[in-house]
Each structure stands twice: as C-alpha cells, then as structure tokens.
C-alpha cells in the first residue's frame, strides 16, 4: 500500500479531506446499515435541528503506525460508550457500540494510505460526529440524524507540545453543575471559543476553568483534562461531575498505577497549584502537554518543573502511554486494536 506523498513532519492539527468516510442515517426510529462514501460534504435543510438547537455530539480518537508496521487504534470501545452517553443526554439515538467500533476500523482501513508512518510524530485523527439533521423549528429533538466518521493526518495539537505551556484563568465559566460538561457536546466547545481566543490574544495557550458555583476548584481546560504532580510525587487528578471523562486521562491513571505511582482523584483548589511540582493537559489531541505557569487573579504560579521541558513524572507517563500506542511497550489487553488494512 503506497502512502500519500506528504511531508508528515510538517503537519499541524488541522483538517485535511481524505478519501473515504462512513455515514449512517437514523430515520423512522432506526439506523440504516450505513456505508462508505467519498463525498466530504453534507447537504442539510436550512431548518436542520443542529443549526438552531445545537443537537450535536462528537468524539476524537487516533490511529497509529506501530514500530512493527501495523496500523492500530486506541481503546475505541471507550469512545463508543462515551458517545452513547452524549447522545442519550442530548435526546439523540445512540449509535450501537459494536457498529461504532467496526465503522472506525473500516474507515481507517479504507484510508490506510493517509496513516502517517512510524517515527514521524504524526497520527491519523478520527472524528465521529452525530447531528440532528431533520428540520425542527419548535424547540424539540430532531426526527432524523446523521452519524459520520471521517479521518485526517495530524501533527501536534500545540506547536512545540513538549515545551511547557502558559495558561490563564478566565472570567468565564465552562459548564454548569448538572449541565453538559461531562459529555462531548458541540455546544460545550462553542462557548469556549471566545475565552480561548481571548487567552491567545493575551499570550496564553489555553484556559483553566474553575467550578462555576464557587470559582475555587479546578475543572479542565477548553479542550483537555488536567493532571498534576505534587512535591511528594503523588499524581493528583481533579475530580468533578462536570468535566469530560477523558479516555487519555483514564488511561494515564491506569499507566501511573502500573508504574507504581500513587494516584489520588479529588477536587483540587486553584490555590493548591503553588504546591504542585508538575502539571499537564491531557487528551486525545494533546496526549500530555506540560504546563509552565498559570496566570491567576492572585498572581502567576510557576511550576518547579520549569519553562523549558516537561517534568520527569509527566515525561515518564507520556513516554509509556505513547509507547503502548506505538507498539513499543506491551499494554493492557484490549487497549490497542489492530486494523486490517491489507
């Protein structure tokens, strides 16, 4: 199989249309079988529910070329389950788990020429998305839906992702208690766009959002979960009912425990950051991106791990997780799913 003629090392994290995508339609109370298509466009009614009432959810996962030359994806079952939960919360029909996993495999296999080679630092990003496609002017769920999976080759989410990032605490809230912060709904990300651009305009890579009730506890950033390491070497993971249950974060917790680190999941106050040795964003896109400093209303907090490189424990976690994904390290059973791309 001939790979595409791409300078993989220069890829950013952006959209590139590839050859095939999977699409299924829900109508009259059921999903059709779905099929592979080549058209990258979706034609919709001007009254489609997604335009008016943001009935949309999505997922993000990746495919990799391993050290042995295999094409694999990472824990797609968890993405399938999370998307089913998102759909339920948004009154959308869940796309069946096994069909989701098979569709991921089929789309990656069909676009195998776009999977970056091992060692390039690039990956194939996989985007499942579901939208309310049926016309709906009254405030109510759509009667028709589209589920689609498309893929694209990508580089690092943050430029120089291994170099620590500067974050800030915005005046905006991300999600309300008992709201939709725990699901991957498009509306959650829409509200983060203005705060994110404001952060960029002031020289920061991302925002750290606080709990909206008291604005004292850390939740997550606009596009990733957070983890910290205290000065005793314990890994501290912020806990809240209104943050997204990141597949990467859950995997990192498991990896950390297997490596012998103590892991504590608990609410974390903003003023505790001054006592942390390391901090990082974690998610499918970013994997693990270190934090250098956080701008807060009470002044800047600098992590002892420094402004130039990732701290030692976060480095170990990142190298182990990516090693599992790339086939360099044997991971837990079922984490890595091989794609038959012959």
């Amino acid at each position: 199989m001939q790979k595409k003629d791409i300078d993989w090392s220069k890829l950013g994290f952006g959209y590139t249309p590839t050859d095939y995508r999977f699409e299924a339609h829900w109508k009259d109370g059921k999903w059709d079988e779905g099929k592979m298509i080549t058209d990258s466009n979706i034609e919709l009614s001007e009254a489609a529910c997604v335009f008016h009432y943001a009935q949309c959810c999505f997922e993000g996962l990746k495919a990799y070329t391993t050290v042995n030359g295999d094409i694999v994806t990472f824990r797609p079952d968890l993405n399938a389950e999370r998307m089913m939960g998102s759909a339920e919360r948004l009154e959308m029909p869940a796309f069946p788990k096994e069909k989701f996993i098979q569709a991921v495999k089929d789309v990656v296999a069909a676009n195998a020429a776009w999977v970056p080679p091992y060692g390039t630092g690039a990956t194939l990003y996989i985007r499942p998305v579901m939208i309310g496609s049926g016309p709906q002017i009254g405030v109510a769920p759509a009667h028709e839906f589209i589920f689609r999976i498309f893929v694209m080759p990508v580089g690092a989410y943050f430029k120089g992702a291994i170099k620590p990032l500067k974050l800030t605490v915005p005046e905006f809230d991300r999600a309300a208690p008992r709201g939709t912060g725990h699901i991957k709904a498009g509306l959650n990300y829409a509200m983060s766009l203005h705060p994110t651009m404001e952060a960029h305009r002031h020289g920061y890579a991302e925002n750290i959002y606080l709990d909206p009730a008291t604005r004292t506890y850390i939740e997550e950033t606009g596009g990733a979960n957070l983890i910290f390491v205290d000065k005793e070497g314990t890994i501290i993971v912020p806990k809240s009912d209104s943050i997204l249950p990141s597949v990467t974060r859950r995997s990192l917790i498991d990896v950390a425990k297997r490596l012998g680190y103590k892991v504590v999941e608990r609410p974390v106050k903003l003023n505790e950051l001054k006592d942390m040795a390391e901090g990082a964003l974690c998610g499918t896109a970013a994997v693990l991106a270190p934090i250098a400093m956080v701008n807060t209303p009470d002044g800047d907090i600098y992590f002892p791990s420094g402004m130039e490189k990732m701290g030692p424990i976060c480095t170990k976690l990142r190298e182990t997780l990516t090693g599992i994904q790339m086939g360099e390290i044997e991971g837990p059973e079922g984490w890595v799913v091989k794609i038959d791309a012959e």
Side-chain angles (χ1 to χ4, degrees):
M1 176 262 301
Q2 184 70 33
K3 291 289 185 181
K4 297 292 182 178
D5 184 16
I6 295 173
D7 187 344
W8 307 101
S9 65
K10 292 185 178 179
L11 283 172
F13 197 89
Y15 173 67
T16 300
T18 52
D19 297 327
Y20 300 96
R21 60 273 304 137
F22 173 85
E23 185 171 286
H25 293 251
W26 192 88
K27 187 177 181 179
D28 298 328
K30 63 181 180 180
W31 288 105
D32 64 18
E33 288 302 309
K35 61 183 179 180
M36 208 71 70
I37 61 174
T38 58
D39 190 353
S40 60
N41 297 311
I42 299 175
E43 183 175 326
L44 292 172
S45 163
E46 61 190 353
C49 190
V50 64
F51 295 144
H52 305 275
Y53 306 119
Q55 205 174 19
C56 166
C57 61
F58 67 98
E59 275 299 321
L61 62 160
K62 289 179 176 179
Y64 315 81
T65 301
T66 69
V67 65
N68 297 322
D70 296 327
I71 295 176
V72 303
T73 189
F74 186 71
R75 308 190 78 179
D77 56 318
L78 296 188
N79 295 95
E81 292 169 2
R82 188 169 66 180
M83 193 166 195
M84 292 173 74
S86 296
E88 180 181 5
R89 177 63 176 81
L90 295 173
E91 284 294 329
M92 304 173 79
F95 195 75
K97 178 178 175 179
E98 293 307 317
K99 288 188 175 182
F100 178 104
I101 295 170
Q102 188 59 53
V104 167
K105 292 179 179 179
D106 291 345
V107 175
V108 173
N111 291 287
W114 294 90
V115 182
Y118 171 79
T120 60
T123 56
L124 189 77
Y125 187 75
I126 306 165
R127 171 52 59 86
V129 61
M130 188 192 301
I131 61 171
S133 56
Q136 188 63 44
I137 293 303
V139 181
H143 297 288
E144 297 177 15
F145 297 86
I146 294 174
F147 172 79
R148 176 178 283 217
I149 299 178
F150 61 100
V151 300
M152 70 217 77
V154 298
Y157 187 74
F158 295 105
K159 292 183 179 180
I162 302 302
K163 187 172 181 178
L165 306 169
K166 295 194 296 182
L167 308 185
T168 188
V169 175
E171 61 183 9
F172 303 95
D173 294 328
R174 175 188 164 271
R178 298 176 295 280
T180 58
H182 64 293
I183 66 171
K184 207 164 178 66
L187 57 91
N188 292 341
Y189 296 82
M191 62 69 50
S192 74
L193 296 178
H194 175 65
T196 298
M197 295 310 297
E198 282 290 280
H200 291 175
R201 285 188 275 267
H202 289 87
Y204 301 101
E206 251 286 16
N207 291 301
I208 288 185
Y209 291 97
L210 305 178
D211 77 287
T214 69
R215 291 192 59 80
T216 56
Y217 290 96
I218 287 169
E219 297 226 314
E220 62 173 293
T221 71
N225 281 186
L226 293 159
I227 65 169
F228 301 96
V229 181
D230 69 17
K231 292 177 181 177
E232 285 71 48
T234 299
I235 295 168
I236 309 294
V237 182
K239 185 176 182 180
S240 166
D241 291 336
S242 57
I243 64 175
L244 189 72
S246 162
V247 175
T248 302
R249 186 199 71 204
R250 285 180 280 175
S251 301
L252 285 167
I253 290 171
D254 196 300
V255 164
K257 291 177 179 177
R258 289 169 182 271
L259 291 173
Y261 293 110
K262 181 181 178 182
V263 179
V264 177
E265 296 183 69
R266 63 171 176 79
V268 177
K269 288 188 174 181
L270 177 62
N271 62 16
E272 290 185 69
L273 293 194
K274 65 182 184 302
D275 300 318
M276 299 295 180
E278 301 178 39
L281 291 72
C282 59
T284 298
V287 185
L288 197 65
I291 302 170
M293 61 86 70
V294 179
N295 168 256
T296 80
D298 296 323
D300 295 343
I301 297 172
Y302 290 85
F303 287 84
S305 49
M307 299 288 288
E308 296 303 319
K309 62 181 182 179
M310 185 181 290
I313 292 179
C314 285
T315 296
K316 182 65 174 177
L317 293 178
R318 189 181 198 280
E319 288 178 348
T320 303
L321 183 60
T322 56
I324 291 170
Q325 292 168 338
M326 296 295 177
E328 300 162 345
I329 299 171
E330 186 175 352
E333 184 177 354
W335 277 25
V336 175
V337 178
K338 185 177 177 181
I339 307 295
D340 183 2
E342 295 181 2

